[in-house]
Amino acid sequence: MRRAFLLAACLMGCTWSNSLYRARQLASSAERAERQDRTEEAATIWGQVAVKAESAYARHAAGRGGGEALWLRGRASARLGDCSAAIPLLEQAGVQAEGAGWQETVWLDLARCRARSDDPTSALAALELLQASRDAAIRREALTLAGRALVRAGRWAEALEALREDETEDGRWQRAIAAAHLGRTSEVLTLVEPRVTRGDTMTDWAALLAPLGGHGAASVDSLLGLLGTMPMVAAATRQQWAYAAANGLAARDPVESERRLQALVSSSDEGPGANSARITLATRRMGAVSDSASLAAALVRVRALQQGGGSAAFVLRPMLRVGDGILMDIRAHPADSALGDLAFFHQARVARDSLLAPALADWLLAEIEHRWPTSPYLVKSMLVRMELQPDSAAAIRARARMHTDSPYLRYLEGREGRPFAVLEDSLDRYLASRAIRPVDDPDTAPRAGLTDFE
């Protein structure tokens, strides 16, 4: 019996060992296929690595052996493009690999995944340890990965320092992005000149034009001038470059940005750049609206932008419908009119979320206070205004506190809840009815539930 038990244990151990050994072999084969640009074959082998490593881990999860199985599974997932699955596997593998000679390689695989994620800060934490590695190759790659993570994190000066010796194609591009954000125009031009010389129109030049625009017209025009030396570039492509430059100028020189966008709109070529310019101008027009008069004027200007046609119409038409709906409600509800407070509250939400016009939303809510001073929703409108106007929050809060009988105020103070619940239910039903018919006659929507407290 004892002999049989020992034989079974040996067989189980050998099976586990063989699975892990086979996973190692397959991983080496997959890496060799990658180096030889046999991408599809490499992907197939990495899939086999994952299966063998999972089998090994199922038989023996503890210790370094289990850690190595997790590492191989995580590495396979990462190479197959599934970093969300790879990261937890690699994290646990790194813990179980404590003291192993391959632990740093686990952390490097983990850092590669994190560097591609939306959380570059976590990648930098792992890479900081690896930059002190005794292995020169690991140190170099860790520094390179750190540079790319710093670019993604927007830490431009640090990124340039980390990537200063990276002369790879991608390394120079990452340095150019960092330099553009820092306004180092001459450095950008030097770094991208080889791409321009070979006529590389597939590069995302907007990634440089937009940040250079933030440093003024001279900076962005320097790159536009260099790009202009490229022969055989389609007019639509040049138009897109011009749009990226014009839009990038918005924060630094809004007047010049407007002039360039208008020039694109007036162009006889209705390419993607012109359409983007129409949408940007329309969005700016609506975003600047602050009352009913400016809304009416903005709608006229946006309709003029729509006349150019093109794909921009698919964005401008809904924008105009929403703006018209808001203006209809404003004109349909003078002071003390029925349902006006609900209509204005609804349209304030539409202005904020659909038109991206926070000033208009604030004006609509302020009008509730002026036109319907006894509205049960007055305090709620004030609470929303405090978010839209943080600089005026103290003054608005002081006025709201004067309405001591408001169900909203009493609810916030923990004094009662039923009238608050009735109000919220009524408002929700009204908003739902307006969502179905946003531009129909608002007075046909029921004020359900309000009889409970009126």
Side-chain angles (χ1 to χ4, degrees), residues 371-405:
R371 301 188 189 197
W372 298 275
T374 60
S375 168
Y377 295 101
L378 177 57
V379 170
K380 183 178 178 74
S381 70
M382 288 177 161
L383 294 173
V384 178
R385 285 195 70 203
M386 287 165 58
E387 297 177 8
L388 292 169
Q389 293 282 352
D391 293 342
S392 303
I396 298 171
R397 184 183 296 108
R399 293 201 306 277
R401 284 175 175 166
M402 296 171 63
H403 298 271
T404 54
D405 60 342

Side-chain angles (χ1 to χ4, degrees), residues 15-17 19-20 23 51-61 65-66 69:
T15 302
W16 167 78
S17 179
S19 294
L20 187 60
V51 172
K52 287 293 183 183
E54 185 174 12
S55 176
Y57 184 75
R59 289 179 170 86
H60 189 81

Side-chain angles (χ1 to χ4, degrees), residues 289-297 299 322-348 351 355 359-365 367-368 371-372 430 434 438-440 442-443:
V289 168
S290 59
D291 55 25
S292 58
S294 58
L295 174 59
L299 288 169
V322 170
D324 286 337
I326 295 174
L327 195 58
M328 178 187 295
D329 265 349
I330 293 172
R331 291 171 175 171
H333 293 96
D336 295 327
S337 62
L339 299 178
D341 53 345
L342 289 174
F344 271 49
F345 191 91
H346 159 68
Q347 296 296 7
L355 281 190
L360 176 60
D362 180 69
W363 179 83
L364 287 162
L365 294 170
E367 286 298 291
I368 295 176
R371 301 188 189 197
W372 298 275
Y430 179 85
R434 294 304 305 275
V439 189
D440 287 354
D443 290 328

Side-chain angles (χ1 to χ4, degrees), residues 346 349 426-438 445:
H346 159 68
R349 188 173 67 167
S426 179
L427 179 60
D428 286 345
R429 280 189 268 175
Y430 179 85
L431 294 177
S433 71
R434 294 304 305 275
I436 296 171
R437 299 176 293 99

Side-chain angles (χ1 to χ4, degrees), residues 337-339 341-342 374-377 407 418-419 422-423 426 446-454:
S337 62
L339 299 178
D341 53 345
L342 289 174
T374 60
S375 168
Y377 295 101
R418 186 176 179 278
V422 172
L423 280 172
S426 179
R447 192 165 187 154
L450 295 185
T451 53
D452 290 321
F453 60 83
E454 283 184 325

